[in-house]
Amino acid sequence: MLMERNEECQRRIDELESERTQFLKDIDDLKNEREKLREENDRALEQVDDSSYENKRLKMRLRDVEGSFTQSIEQISELKRELQHLTNSHLTETEALESQIRVLEDKSTRSKRRQAFKMINHLLVLLVVMHHSSRTKTSA
């Protein structure tokens, strides 16, 4: 009975030893798995850091672009105001020039009329003188 008990104990020891070996193997597997997961986690953290850096860089670039865009809009608005001013100024100058041209045309027309009247008066005087002179010649 003692032998049987001893054999049974030995079998139980062998079983426990086998289980222990299996547990140690499982522990090693779990350690390896944990190490793989740590490496994977480290890579993921690096990617997050890279993504975070890239995100910050892109945000800064976006702010720069938005600033440039805002500045461009302000410049366009300023150019539109300047163009409107120049257009209004040009229209005013054009109207003033057209008015001056009309005045000069009126003056020119009046001057030509005056010259024509003077010439007509001069011709009338000459006619009268010629008529008077021909009358005096015929009467003499």
Side-chain angles (χ1 to χ4, degrees), residues 23-135:
F23 281 137
L24 289 174
K25 184 179 180 264
D26 289 346
I27 288 172
D28 283 344
D29 289 347
L30 289 172
K31 283 180 181 178
N32 289 336
E33 183 67 24
R34 182 179 68 184
E35 188 60 33
K36 286 179 187 175
L37 289 173
R38 275 189 184 156
E39 289 172 4
E40 202 173 299
N41 188 41
D42 289 345
R43 281 193 301 275
L45 286 174
E46 285 176 15
Q47 287 177 347
V48 166
D49 287 345
D50 290 347
S51 295
S52 177
Y53 171 77
E54 183 68 14
N55 191 20
K56 287 177 185 175
R57 191 185 69 73
L58 288 173
K59 281 181 181 178
M60 288 178 13
R61 179 70 179 128
L62 178 62
R63 270 190 234 118
D64 290 346
V65 168
E66 285 173 341
S68 295
F69 183 71
T70 302
Q71 188 178 16
S72 294
I73 288 174
E74 290 169 358
Q75 287 174 340
I76 288 170
S77 296
E78 179 62 30
L79 288 172
K80 283 172 72 176
R81 283 191 295 275
E82 199 173 314
L83 178 62
Q84 185 65 43
H85 173 72
L86 289 173
T87 301
N88 291 341
S89 176
H90 175 70
L91 288 174
T92 304
E93 287 177 21
T94 301
E95 289 169 356
L97 289 172
E98 286 174 349
S99 175
Q100 287 177 350
I101 289 170
R102 280 193 296 276
V103 167
L104 290 173
E105 285 174 345
D106 289 347
K107 283 182 181 178
S108 175
T109 303
R110 277 185 264 146
S111 175
K112 286 178 185 174
R113 268 193 228 135
R114 235 180 273 125
Q115 284 177 347
F117 282 126
K118 283 180 183 177
M119 197 177 277
I120 290 170
N121 282 338
H122 187 66
L123 287 172
L124 285 173
V125 169
L126 281 175
L127 277 173
V128 168
V129 168
M130 285 173 61
H131 180 66
H132 184 66
S133 129
S134 76
R135 280 181 93 195

